[in-house]
Each structure stands twice: as C-alpha cells, then as structure tokens.
Amino acid sequence: MLKCGIVGLPLSGKSTIFNVITRAGAEVKPYAGGKTEPNRALVSVPDKRFDKLVEIFKPKSEKPADVEFVDLAGLSRDAGKGAGLGNSFLSFVSESEALLHVIRVFKNSAVPHPENSIDPFRDWKIVEAELIYRDLGVISNRLARLEEKKAKKKLTPSENSEFELIKELETHLLNESPLREFNMTEEQKKLLSGFAFLTLKPELIVLNLDDTQTGDVPEIKELEKEMSKKNLTCVKVYGSTEMELEQLDPQDREEFMKDLSITEPGRDRLIHEAYKLLGLISFFTSGSDEVRAWTLKEGSNAVDAAGTIHSDLARGFIRAQVVSYEDFEANNYSIAQCREKGVLRLEGKEYIVKDGDMIEIRFNV
C-alpha cells in the first residue's frame, strides 16, 4: 500500500491538513496531545476520467486508485536525538514512500507557535535537520558494523561497495544536504533499498495559511525561493478554512472557493501532487463487471501493468489492447469507433504505459 506521511512541527496544522485530504474527521487539538499512534486514512485519487467511465459502463463494482495518508505526531526539535516522541515518530516516517511537510504560516494567538514566532523557512530547516540527523544515525550504526566485520575478515565486493557509498553519503549529510540531492545510480539505490532513509524520500511542501493570507505573503518568500532552488513543490492550503468548506453543500463551497481564488479543492490539489510526487500514473480496466483505476510507476511497460492486475496476466502475457482515454473521449466514448479509426491498438511487452490508458490484457496460462 502506497503511503504518504504528513510531517511538521507541533501545532503546524498537520491534523487539519489530514482532514482536508481525507475527510476523516480526525481530532484537531490546539495543543500537542503527546499521542504517538498516527491517524491513517485510505483516500481515493480524484479522477474525472474514472468518474466518466463509471457513468458510461455502469459497472457492478467500481474501484478508484488509492493512496494512504498517515498523520504523524509533531516532530520536535532534537527528535533525532530522542527528544519528544523521537524514535517512535521517526519509525512511522520510515514506513512512508513520500513526505508531505506541513509548514505553519497562519497566525493564531490562541495556538502559540512552539518556536514563539511565525518563520516558515526556519521551521523547514528544523524539521529537515532532524530528518538528516536520523539518517546520520542509521549510517553511523551500519558503518560501525561493517568496520567491525572488516577488522575480523575481508568484506565481500558488495559490502565494500556499500561501505564506500555510505561513507560518501555520510559526508553529504554532514554538509546538511538531504540524500535526495545526492546523485545516485540505480545500482547504488538498490544497495540502499533496505535502509528507508528519510531524506531520500520525495517531499512536498504544504504551506498552511489562514484565509487572510490570500495575496502576497511576505513570510513565505524566503522559503519559496529556497524550495525553487531545490526543485521542491510548494502547495498553498487554507487548512482550517478548507476543512470547514468540506462540510458545506457544493454550491456554498464553490462560492467560498471563488472568494479565496481557489480553483480546485485543497484535498484534490494535495492528492494529485502527492500522486505526482510518488511518480505514479493511472491506467484503467473497464467493463460492465468492474471499472477500475490501477496505480503504476511512470515508465512501466505493458507486462508491469498486467502484473499489477494479476501475476497470471504477466506470466501468460500475449498482447495488450490499448486506447488512450483522450482518444476514447474524442470518439464519442465508443470502443467500436476507436477500432474503426485505428486508435485502438495492440501493443507488445515493451510498450510504455501512459497515464489514462484504457487496457485489456490478452494472455494464456
């Protein structure tokens, strides 16, 4: 199951953002409750193409693509050294494939900031430093074990490669740089696959504003400039307001969204960005029995798509019948018309699946 961990300092509004995304109604407290067990919710990826396919095929069952969001306890300064919820928090983070880093921009005197002032850039640096410190701890432990083994007997070629790579990563982290900025080969990534390094995970910056901060917001300029240099995406969300908007009927919600110049609900923006952050696409299988959106890594081929549906389909793969959703739409949502126009194709094993492809696998086992 794909997971996005929501991280940030205490009182940054993480649970509010979690509720905006998931509509889960998780308890939102003005003061940190010391709870270690995170809130979790499975969320359907909003997709108008999927909704249209359901409308057309009227299937017996429907299954949209899903992503799990995990609302983690607030990360205190020095958590990497065991302060606050420390290690229990960091173990939950390591389970996530990507991080949504919530940064407080909103002002509320009833909810004092743990650092006593609103400074988004400083807050980002605090959390980033804790994640880096945790990764350094993992590296330190591994290096100690390898060095101990090296003193007793010769390391294997694979262990030697790992040792040299980890030494480089240690230097990189000591320069206060996350591992996602380390230029790594696919082979090196495989060597590190068992470590669950936190700063190697893709990160989305979620700026949590209040409804008075709709125009130019001076507090976020320094942070946005730095995130642009690091190729990290920033998404603005009016957390508390958008959580309340989810309770309104659609017409009233649209009016309030216009007032805030919001063209897409916060939950949709964040889910789409999280999906993109994980490098995922959706392809569809459709018919009267079921319409389903399947999740696939971008760049995967037709056999990978077949295996996502069922291992037997990959094992006995013959061909994939494919039409893009756009071509299906352009041809009056008619498979027969798509076939007539030549946009319904038979593809082989090496075909790279595109986002929105409608696929039927032909196989024999």
Side-chain angles (χ1 to χ4, degrees):
M1 177 58 62
L2 296 164
K3 294 180 185 174
C4 286
I6 303 175
V7 303
L9 290 177
L11 309 177
S12 57
K14 291 182 296 72
S15 294
T16 300
I17 298 300
F18 176 79
N19 284 334
V20 168
I21 296 171
T22 65
R23 297 172 176 158
E27 186 179 6
V28 177
K29 293 183 179 179
Y31 299 99
K35 186 181 72 168
T36 58
E37 185 61 33
N39 296 312
R40 298 173 184 269
L42 197 60
V43 179
S44 298
V45 177
D47 194 325
K48 290 177 181 176
R49 302 168 302 182
F50 174 82
D51 296 340
K52 186 66 179 177
L53 291 174
V54 169
E55 182 189 322
I56 292 163
F57 288 95
K58 297 179 173 56
K60 292 171 189 170
S61 72
E62 55 188 82
K63 186 71 176 72
D66 292 325
V67 176
E68 184 179 19
F69 287 88
V70 184
D71 171 27
L72 299 152
L75 180 61
S76 306
R77 190 190 282 272
D78 293 332
K81 300 173 187 175
L85 298 174
N87 295 329
S88 62
F89 163 86
L90 294 166
S91 68
F92 286 125
V93 183
S94 66
E95 296 174 6
S96 304
E97 278 84 13
L99 305 179
L100 269 62
H101 183 171
V102 177
I103 297 177
R104 177 173 173 173
V105 188
F106 71 86
K107 297 170 183 175
N108 185 343
S109 57
V111 185
H113 192 292
E115 297 289 322
N116 300 314
S117 63
I118 301 297
D119 187 338
F121 185 53
R122 174 205 60 209
D123 293 355
W124 173 78
K125 286 196 293 183
I126 290 171
V127 172
E128 196 79 350
E130 296 308 321
L131 300 180
I132 285 172
Y133 192 86
R134 186 270 187 184
D135 283 353
L136 275 169
V138 172
I139 283 176
S140 177
N141 289 338
R142 182 57 180 160
L143 283 176
R145 284 196 293 272
L146 287 173
E147 282 167 348
E148 187 181 343
K149 186 176 179 182
K150 198 175 180 182
K152 293 176 182 175
K153 60 179 179 179
K154 195 175 179 182
L155 295 178
T156 66
S158 175
E159 287 171 333
N160 260 320
S161 298
E162 184 189 329
F163 183 81
E164 293 304 320
L165 174 59
I166 286 179
K167 288 292 285 181
E168 286 185 64
L169 297 182
E170 183 180 46
T171 301
H172 182 82
L173 288 167
L174 287 169
N175 288 328
E176 299 182 1
S177 298
L179 294 181
R180 75 181 73 89
E181 294 175 5
F182 187 90
N183 193 13
M184 222 177 288
T185 65
E186 287 304 314
E187 191 178 335
Q188 287 174 325
K189 285 177 185 174
K190 282 178 189 173
L191 273 176
L192 301 176
S193 60
F195 288 98
F197 286 122
L198 305 186
T199 65
L200 197 53
K201 298 177 187 296
E203 183 178 344
L204 176 68
I205 305 301
V206 182
L207 300 172
N208 189 9
L209 300 96
D210 62 48
D211 56 12
T212 67
Q213 298 169 315
T214 55
D216 194 36
V217 185
E219 291 92 342
I220 64 175
K221 282 187 176 176
E222 186 182 10
L223 177 67
E224 286 186 312
K225 187 177 176 182
E226 186 65 21
M227 296 306 96
S228 177
K229 285 183 200 170
K230 292 178 174 290
N231 291 318
L232 291 177
T233 301
C234 290
V235 179
K236 295 178 185 175
V237 179
Y238 303 98
S240 185
T241 302
E242 295 203 50
M243 186 172 72
E244 290 168 9
L245 287 179
E246 290 296 336
Q247 313 303 316
L248 300 177
D249 65 61
Q251 192 173 346
D252 288 342
R253 189 186 306 145
E254 274 190 37
E255 287 300 317
F256 276 102
M257 282 171 61
K258 279 179 190 173
D259 291 344
L260 289 169
S261 302
I262 299 171
T263 55
E264 184 182 29
R267 73 181 306 270
D268 291 12
R269 296 199 307 279
L270 287 171
I271 293 168
H272 286 146
E273 287 296 341
Y275 207 61
K276 195 190 304 179
L277 186 67
L278 289 163
L280 303 174
I281 61 169
S282 291
F283 71 92
F284 306 108
T285 53
S286 50
S288 58
D289 282 338
E290 182 183 67
V291 168
R292 184 159 182 166
W294 299 88
T295 298
L296 196 64
K297 278 283 184 185
E298 196 170 4
S300 299
N301 62 29
V303 177
D304 296 323
T308 301
I309 299 169
H310 196 284
S311 57
D312 284 350
L313 273 65
R315 189 159 50 90
F317 182 92
I318 300 171
R319 288 279 185 276
Q321 180 176 275
V322 183
V323 62
S324 72
Y325 178 84
E326 288 74 19
D327 284 336
F328 182 61
E329 182 181 41
N331 285 279
N332 300 311
Y333 304 104
S334 165
I335 291 292
Q337 197 169 314
C338 288
R339 186 179 287 111
E340 190 182 311
K341 292 287 180 68
V343 293
L344 184 68
R345 316 175 308 277
L346 286 177
E347 300 286 0
K349 291 182 176 182
E350 299 309 313
Y351 171 71
I352 301 300
V353 177
K354 311 291 190 305
D355 183 51
D357 276 351
M358 296 169 63
I359 298 178
E360 182 182 317
I361 303 296
R362 297 182 179 180
F363 71 106
N364 183 33
V365 288

